[in-house]
Amino acid sequence: QVQLVQSGAEVKKPGSSVKVSCKASGGDFNTFTISWVRQAPGQGLEWMGQIIPVFRSTKYAQRFQGRVTFTADESTTTAYMEVSSLRSDDTAIYYCARKIDHWNRSDPWGQGTLVTVST
Amino acid sequence: DIQMTQSPSSLSASVGDRVTVTCRASGNIDNYLNWYQQTPGKAPNLLIYAASNLQTGVPSRFSGSASGTDFSLTISGVQPEDFATYYCQQSFVMPYTFGQGTKLEI
């Protein structure tokens, strides 16, 4: 079955950038849509956007537009999310998930990557 | 953006109870409504999609229903492993917004 494995935790300084990876296995990456969701400490889930790797097509939630970039490498079946100009309120767990069928349900999810932004 | 209003924010229950969580959409979402369960330190897990369809492998004590823009998740006979936080999400129009979550506690 499809599995998504994310890169490890990161500690970053304010103003820097972070790039999180999400490696897919067990399915045809060329048919995937990968969504990204974040969760601030003790808070709820926030949809950030998605990428369709085969088309290089991206959609971003408005609040992340311009500061977040989704990319993908089909040769390694890996999706990436980069956040630039990091602020303390970007401290969160970032999840990738596969979006499936026309109901746009997300399954499975990666295990999450904690990004801590701190001086 | 479609706003998802979930209630209650927390819920106390005992093993064996029947509990219901509700979610209201601020506009039409045509039953594009998913429910996820999240246990502490873990990623969310899909329970129900299209308002009432059980994801493969999810126990049948979980069920979902819809009435217009109102949606509900019911657990019939809560088990110890069900104490978690539950989120609704509309997947009709981007951004695919989530409800605020409902924490089910013992």
Side-chain angles (χ1 to χ4, degrees):
Chain A
Q1 74 275 22
V2 174
Q3 280 193 303
L4 302 177
V5 178
Q6 298 183 226
S7 50
E10 303 262 13
V11 179
K12 294 291 184 179
K13 295 266 195 273
S16 66
S17 298
V18 68
K19 194 169 186 177
V20 176
S21 68
C22 171
K23 180 167 175 60
S25 63
D28 184 355
F29 191 70
N30 289 326
T31 66
F32 286 6
T33 297
I34 299 292
S35 298
W36 290 90
V37 173
R38 82 173 185 182
Q39 186 170 38
Q43 302 301 306
L45 303 171
E46 182 174 26
W47 187 84
M48 300 177 68
Q50 67 174 42
I51 181 168
I52 307 175
V54 68
F55 298 124
R56 300 282 194 269
S57 171
T58 55
K59 292 283 188 186
Y60 299 93
Q62 184 154 12
R63 63 172 292 178
F64 298 107
Q65 191 87 38
R67 211 163 58 86
V68 172
T69 304
F70 303 140
T71 56
D73 182 344
E74 289 142 80
S75 68
T76 60
T77 65
T78 303
Y80 299 92
M81 181 214 58
E82 183 169 21
V83 185
S84 61
S85 302
L86 285 165
R87 309 185 293 244
S88 58
D89 62 358
D90 290 318
T91 294
I93 298 174
Y94 291 80
Y95 294 101
C96 62
R98 182 188 64 159
K99 191 180 81 167
I100 54 176
D101 72 24
H102 71 283
W103 291 108
N104 302 322
R105 49 183 160 151
S106 290
D107 182 74
W109 292 58
Q111 83 277 18
T113 297
L114 174 62
V115 175
T116 303
V117 183
S118 173
T119 56
Chain B
D1 296 358
I2 299 283
Q3 306 301 316
M4 304 302 293
T5 304
Q6 193 173 335
S7 62
S9 56
S10 65
L11 184 56
S12 294
S14 300
V15 172
D17 284 354
R18 175 185 168 99
V19 299
T20 297
V21 179
T22 61
C23 196
R24 172 169 288 175
S26 64
N28 174 52
I29 59 171
D30 205 19
N31 284 359
Y32 279 70
L33 191 284
N34 308 309
W35 289 99
Y36 298 91
Q37 177 194 62
Q38 187 179 34
T39 53
K42 298 290 189 183
N45 181 51
L46 177 66
L47 297 176
I48 287 173
Y49 66 97
S52 60
N53 289 269
L54 205 62
Q55 176 70 358
T56 302
V58 173
S60 58
R61 63 180 178 273
F62 291 93
S63 62
S65 64
S67 177
T69 58
D70 292 335
F71 302 87
S72 60
L73 169 71
T74 298
I75 311 173
S76 301
V78 172
Q79 297 300 299
E81 60 268 29
D82 300 338
F83 292 98
T85 301
Y86 294 85
Y87 294 93
C88 62
Q89 180 204 30
Q90 65 83 16
S91 56
F92 182 63
V93 59
M94 292 187 237
Y96 295 148
T97 40
F98 289 91
Q100 307 94 311
T102 295
K103 186 173 183 179
L104 178 58
E105 301 172 299
I106 298 174

